[in-house]
Amino acid sequence: MPRLDPVHLEQDLGGPESLAGLRRWIRTHVVADADALADAQLVATELASNAIEHAPGPRVVRLRVSATRFTVEVEDAAPDAALTLGVSRLGGNRGRGLQVVNVLGRWGVHRRPTRKTVWATISL
């Protein structure tokens, strides 16, 4: 049965150990076929990993799920940090996360004086 009411999660995003908890929450709350579930997990992991690797804390992650849409927002304390598709300061074998997110859904950035929020939305 499709989910009628949206569900939300908002929590501090710690280090890499917090990624498994995000994927677990998504498996529990996203009612979709296996491909859409995998896409939701991948998009959330990519955005959260970028914040963990490239931005200072505090970091916050917000997940929202409705019957037709999955949205992830990751907020960090690096408002001026550039986001570039296919390029990483961590080496030539890195930097493909935003390219993957770009293929799977829509994404963007909201900047404020001391914070940045990177968001992505995919259809379920």
Side-chain angles (χ1 to χ4, degrees):
M1 172 177 280
R3 181 176 304 287
L4 300 177
D5 297 324
V7 291
H8 309 276
L9 170 72
E10 180 170 340
Q11 69 180 35
D12 292 336
L13 181 61
E17 71 283 350
S18 58
L19 299 176
L22 290 178
R23 289 189 295 269
R24 192 170 33 258
W25 189 91
I26 292 166
R27 282 192 305 272
T28 301
H29 292 92
V30 172
V31 178
D33 63 44
D35 288 339
L37 176 61
D39 291 350
Q41 290 179 310
L42 181 57
V43 167
T45 299
E46 289 299 338
L47 293 190
S49 295
N50 281 350
I52 291 167
E53 290 186 338
H54 299 290
R59 295 177 291 263
V60 175
V61 63
R62 294 178 201 89
L63 305 176
R64 286 192 306 280
V65 182
S66 70
T68 60
R69 186 178 319 222
F70 172 79
T71 302
V72 56
E73 298 176 348
V74 180
E75 181 178 299
D76 62 51
D80 298 325
L83 283 88
T84 52
L85 288 154
V87 178
S88 173
R89 65 178 170 80
L90 299 177
N93 292 325
R94 307 285 300 274
R96 294 180 186 88
L98 283 178
Q99 288 179 315
V100 170
V101 172
N102 196 51
V103 168
L104 295 175
R106 295 181 322 117
W107 69 278
V109 182
H110 298 291
R111 296 181 189 272
R112 293 175 304 286
T114 61
R115 309 288 292 161
K116 166 180 89 255
T117 302
V118 181
W119 60 268
T121 300
I122 65 169
S123 297
L124 296 176

